[in-house]
Amino acid sequence: MNTTLFYLCMSVLLMSCNLQDKKNQYTEGDYGYDVEFFRNQQIEILQLKDDDSGAAVLISPGYQGRVMTSTANGMKGKSFGWINHDYIKAGQINDKFNPFGGEERFWLGPEGGPFSIYFDQGDEQIFESWSVPKELDTAPFDLVEKSEQKAVFQKSFELTNAIGTSLKIGIDRTIKLLENSEVEKTLKTSLNESIKWVAYESKNVLTNRGDNNWTEDSGFLSIWLLCMFNPAEKGVVFLPYNKGDGEELGKVVEDDYFGKVPSERLITKDGIAYFKVDGKYRSKIGLSPERSTPYCGSYDPETNSLTILWYSKPDEPARYVNSKWGKQEDPLKGDALNSYNDGPVDDGSIMGPFYEIESSSPAALLYSGESITHVQRIVHVTGNEKYLDEIVQNIFNVSIEDIKSIFSKV
């Protein structure tokens, strides 16, 4: 082999190795893996980033301005959101529902009952008849403003509910990265410099753009934000609740969405509901507006990852939509806060696994032209448990050790 040919072959070999190294520099679970995944699928994405801290939020305009995932530590950092890579890669679109995943997606309630927007008029409210409106599933939201710290989306559309009322809807959705001072205000404590965190806020405005009012007789909507995260063997969601008389405040926890949650998976103790989120048992719980507070959280002891959710629960009593399928005694007697743990269904198949924390606005009983706003903040914190403990003690008056050990005593 002559010298020129030798160096040419070596150059090709080195280029191949460099490309392979670049291809393999991220593994599943890394934030960078998810960024590259969407780029490889040629799906439009945008990022909100703080280059100094490594905090970043990945958003998809095509999935209704959905937060797909986030990280506290750059491209090699942990990716917090659950993403259904296999489903997205397959490129199939289902007319019932497309489980793309995503750390915070925008939906509307109610899901079931006389004013549902997920069942056609006259249909029995069973799974075979259920479908998610394309505007909340596959239709893109319009990106109208973008900066390093903020993205603003809008969408207008019309839906018909289960009693045949047409609803003309306007959506404004703003997602922004939170600064240190905003996070410390949300967590009610200062943040130790050694911990890593990412925090963002979504401000969601729902407007009645029709000529008719949304009433108790014609139907109404609510803003519903669902957050999908990766489960963990010892993962726990914890939701504080208002203690008090059952006749006045009602049931402590709604725990029979898919059959009653077993006691080894749901514990209520000293004003906290603890819910196991290991992705192994399909179950869901809910807190009424009388019982819920503006905070809840989850903890994964394997990765020392603490997640805090805050939402804009009104100070004054408000009515919330009832999303249970079928006949309802009161369509305005629903939950303000929910958590879902994925798991196998009867045939052994499973969508995820993942778990969810969900917050809702009050029912939007709006006059023509009126709006309702629902704000949610997600904060992920990782690091030394000593500093994570300070956060949960401050907000929830429990310790990290209480959370970690709650199910080991069952």
Side-chain angles (χ1 to χ4, degrees):
M1 180 184 295
N2 63 43
T3 303
T4 302
L5 184 58
F6 172 78
Y7 282 113
L8 179 61
C9 291
M10 288 299 294
S11 297
V12 172
L13 181 60
L14 287 170
M15 288 177 61
S16 177
C17 290
N18 289 335
L19 288 173
Q20 189 65 29
D21 287 344
K22 185 176 180 180
K23 181 179 179 181
N24 295 331
Q25 65 179 318
Y26 306 120
T27 58
E28 190 164 357
D30 293 342
Y31 176 79
Y33 178 94
D34 290 328
V35 172
E36 292 302 314
F37 172 80
F38 283 102
R39 287 173 176 166
N40 291 337
Q41 299 303 311
Q42 298 184 330
I43 295 173
E44 181 187 4
I45 55 173
L46 60 89
Q47 297 183 74
L48 309 180
K49 296 192 296 183
D50 183 328
D51 292 331
D52 293 334
S53 69
V57 175
L58 180 67
I59 302 171
S60 169
Y63 296 156
Q64 306 81 52
R66 186 178 315 200
V67 175
M68 298 308 300
T69 191
S70 64
T71 187
N73 202 22
M75 294 289 276
K76 292 290 287 184
K78 175 181 170 66
S79 186
F80 290 111
W82 178 76
I83 297 171
N84 197 342
H85 299 99
D86 291 341
Y87 188 88
I88 294 172
K89 191 173 183 179
Q92 300 174 344
I93 297 297
N94 190 300
D95 60 4
K96 183 181 288 289
F97 171 53
N98 291 274
F100 302 123
E103 185 171 319
E104 190 205 78
R105 74 181 187 273
F106 179 96
W107 268 16
L108 295 170
E111 185 176 359
F115 307 122
S116 170
I117 55 171
Y118 298 79
F119 294 95
D120 290 336
Q121 186 176 9
D123 283 353
E124 183 181 2
Q125 294 192 1
I126 57 177
F127 181 74
E128 287 71 21
S129 304
W130 174 84
S131 65
V132 179
K134 68 179 185 302
E135 292 84 359
L136 306 177
D137 189 34
T138 56
F141 278 14
D142 300 322
L143 178 64
V144 296
E145 183 182 340
K146 167 69 172 68
S147 69
E148 284 290 304
Q149 306 296 315
K150 184 173 72 172
V152 181
F153 300 90
Q154 292 179 344
K155 189 71 174 180
S156 295
F157 52 95
E158 187 172 353
L159 296 176
T160 301
N161 67 19
I163 65 165
T165 301
S166 176
L167 304 166
K168 292 184 178 180
I169 298 161
I171 304 297
D172 293 270
R173 174 167 164 81
T174 301
I175 304 165
K176 72 168 188 175
L177 274 181
L178 296 179
E179 298 178 351
N180 186 276
S181 60
E182 295 171 303
V183 177
E184 291 186 336
K185 183 179 179 180
T186 302
L187 301 182
K188 303 177 183 179
T189 189
S190 58
L191 293 166
N192 187 276
E193 292 182 358
S194 69
I195 61 176
K196 300 292 292 183
W197 57 268
V198 58
Y200 61 91
E201 172 188 283
S202 74
K203 180 180 180 181
N204 305 274
V205 182
L206 168 63
T207 301
N208 176 359
R209 296 206 183 280
D211 296 328
N212 300 319
N213 301 331
W214 297 351
T215 71
E216 295 181 34
D217 297 321
S218 62
F220 40 82
L221 299 170
S222 69
I223 299 168
W224 185 11
L225 303 178
L226 301 95
C227 303
M228 306 176 83
F229 303 116
N230 297 296
E233 182 67 30
K234 297 182 179 179
V236 179
V237 161
F238 45 98
L239 308 94
Y241 60 86
N242 295 315
K243 294 186 285 186
D245 183 71
E247 290 189 7
E248 179 183 351
L249 298 179
K251 193 175 181 180
V252 172
V253 181
E254 190 67 45
D255 62 350
D256 59 357
Y257 281 89
F258 306 112
K260 189 170 178 64
V261 181
S263 58
E264 65 270 17
R265 289 187 161 270
L266 175 63
I267 294 174
T268 56
K269 181 181 178 182
D270 300 329
I272 303 280
Y274 300 92
F275 184 45
K276 186 178 287 190
V277 285
D278 55 2
K280 293 183 177 180
Y281 188 90
R282 187 168 181 257
S283 48
K284 183 175 180 177
I285 62 171
L287 293 182
S288 69
E290 293 79 15
R291 291 288 188 181
S292 62
T293 78
Y295 284 92
C296 66
S298 65
Y299 186 61
D300 175 6
E302 296 173 10
T303 59
N304 287 15
S305 298
L306 173 67
T307 297
I308 302 295
L309 182 152
W310 172 90
Y311 68 107
S312 55
K313 185 173 185 253
D315 294 330
E316 299 299 320
R319 294 179 291 177
Y320 284 70
V321 306
N322 187 345
S323 277
K324 287 191 173 181
W325 295 8
K327 188 176 180 180
Q328 298 175 350
E329 291 184 10
D330 187 350
L332 284 165
K333 192 71 174 176
D335 295 330
L337 196 63
N338 295 92
S339 183
Y340 170 79
N341 182 50
D342 197 31
V345 294
D346 291 341
D347 64 3
S349 63
I350 186 169
M351 185 185 300
F354 57 86
Y355 75 93
E356 287 181 331
I357 310 175
E358 311 166 6
S359 76
S360 294
S361 74
L365 294 155
L366 302 176
Y367 291 111
S368 174
E370 277 193 330
S371 300
I372 189 172
T373 299
H374 184 66
V375 182
Q376 181 173 273
R377 291 182 169 186
I378 298 291
V379 184
H380 297 293
V381 189
T382 63
N384 190 308
E385 277 193 352
K386 172 185 175 182
Y387 303 117
L388 305 185
D389 188 65
E390 291 177 1
I391 295 171
V392 297
Q393 291 270 17
N394 214 45
I395 301 174
F396 303 99
N397 199 31
V398 295
S399 69
I400 286 289
E401 190 57 40
D402 291 333
I403 298 167
K404 287 168 57 178
S405 62
I406 189 69
F407 289 107
S408 64
K409 301 171 184 177
V410 178

